[in-house]
Amino acid sequence: MDHPRPYVVLSVATSVDGHIDDTGPDRLVLSNEADFDRVDQVRAESDAILIGATTLRRDNPRLLVNSARRRDERAARGLPPYPLKVTVTRSGDLDRDLRFWHHGGDKLVYCPDPAVPKLRERLGDLADVAGLGPDLDFGVMLDDLGRRGIGRLMVEGGGTIHTQFLTAGLADEIHLAIAPFFLGDPDAPRFVNAGRFPYGPGNRMTLAEARTIGDIAFLRYLPEGRAVSLSPAPPSRSEDRRWLSLAIDLAEQCPPSDTAFSVGCVIVDADGSEISRGFSRERPHFHAEESALSKVAPDDERLPGATLYSSLEPCTRRSSRPRPCAELILDSPIRRVVVAWREPPVFVADAHGVQALEAAGITVVEIPELADAASRMNAHILGL
Ligand SMILES: NC(=O)c1ccc[n+]([C@@H]2O[C@H](COP(=O)([O-])OP(=O)(O)OC[C@H]3O[C@@H](n4cnc5c(N)ncnc54)[C@H](OP(=O)(O)O)[C@@H]3O)[C@@H](O)[C@H]2O)c1
Ligand SMILES: [Zn+2]
């Protein structure tokens, strides 16, 4: 029977000058909190995570899905709460005290045949040890992972490992997170070592996504130009503009007020169909997002793929009701928000809905060219 090779996602964080670590004894932090959360999500979407033996020895990571919610979601899909953890070694020098073996789910070590007895003796029942011949070929390893039912493999480095996947043309996606600093140390390890990469100047990769995650630039490349995505592609800019314009039109229906903004909101599913809509004061004291959210069951299965469009940035502080809209959104399964207008400091001095949502890993898209339209019906409040 034929088992397809897993879809391979290489994940790496680098400095602006391309280093993945420094040469000091302490662990170098490249990502920020929201980016670590993004990585946690990619781990949760994977069937297996692979790292090289040097990274295991040097960083001693546990390599877990840290979010209990994500582990629960995996369990609900009939998956083990943690992906399979995989490492590769030639030397077999892997200590049984490493954290890798003592946290999370199943572990698997690939090595050339000669290292098998030593590793089995060292690790006992801590891990499954698989020899794949006199040498370890990554293509053969992917075949074996496919036979084990691994559909999606996340590779978390280090550079030696990434280099082999890329030079062999075995990577389907690269997730590159760039931290806003330089290291400037020529001895610091890099994302990849020297090699013959199929993706030179004559064979440009596809840039599938570029996203801002706080101070991190997140880039997603498709070396072979094709993606197998778990969820449908996010709406295009023109679809976003269309739905956001509807949210702005809805704000015209708000009962007039001098003490609160007029805002409209629409929630749209991944297929581009409306789930619900709302506007400010549709019910006494209601905000637009609150109103739209109140019309959907919290466990509606369309929500995880949905986008919430709001003419104004969701609020983070309220006097009239217990919970601000940013919090209501974070409590919902919605993971994408599109806004036209940032809240001006009229009623609260420190509105920061966009920031709060992004910090929690929500994708926030701003369409500033619609900000004027969104603020127009609030001209009397703004003193315009
Ligand atoms: N910023 C990031 O995103 C990130 C992520 C991960 C790691 N890192 C950093 O990367 C550095 C380590 O990178 P690295 O390139 O030196 O090491 P690595 O890629 O983590 O591991 C290399 C080791 O993996 C084993 N190996 C590699 N290819 C093999 C093959 N074909 N067959 C069998 N075993 C194979 C060998 O283990 P043996 O030596 O046991 O034979 C080899 O020494 C660390 O500084 C770490 O902090 C950074
Ligand atoms: Zn609100």
Side-chain angles (χ1 to χ4, degrees), residues 198-220:
Y199 321 104
N203 185 20
R204 295 158 77 101
M205 300 186 292
T206 300
L207 175 63
E209 189 182 348
R211 204 194 311 163
T212 309
I213 303 177
D215 64 359
I216 295 279
F218 172 69
L219 305 175
R220 197 161 64 87

Side-chain angles (χ1 to χ4, degrees), residues 18-51:
H19 293 292
I20 58 173
D21 196 4
D22 57 17
T23 49
D26 297 326
R27 186 167 159 248
L28 173 73
V29 177
L30 288 147
S31 290
N32 58 31
E33 206 174 313
D35 191 56
F36 280 125
D37 191 62
R38 173 191 63 76
V39 170
D40 202 56
Q41 176 66 30
V42 180
R43 285 182 182 172
E45 289 166 355
S46 303
D47 299 305
I49 309 173
L50 182 147
I51 62 165

Side-chain angles (χ1 to χ4, degrees), residues 11-14 19-22 27-28 30 51-59 87-94 110-112 135-138 156-164 189-191 193:
S11 174
V12 65
T14 74
H19 293 292
I20 58 173
D21 196 4
D22 57 17
R27 186 167 159 248
L28 173 73
L30 288 147
I51 62 165
T54 304
T55 302
L56 263 199
R57 288 187 289 259
R58 183 176 153 85
D59 296 351
T87 187
V88 295
T89 174
R90 231 174 251 115
S91 67
D93 287 335
L94 288 172
Y110 284 114
C111 60
D135 217 358
L136 206 172
D137 178 277
F138 278 21
E156 293 206 43
T160 312
I161 302 295
H162 287 318
T163 304
Q164 290 175 74
R190 292 185 173 277
F191 169 28
N193 306 325

Side-chain angles (χ1 to χ4, degrees), residues 115-138:
V116 171
K118 171 175 165 183
L119 278 163
R120 288 219 172 113
E121 194 203 308
R122 276 204 185 175
L123 298 173
D125 55 11
L126 288 175
D128 190 358
V129 177
L132 292 180
D135 217 358
L136 206 172
D137 178 277
F138 278 21

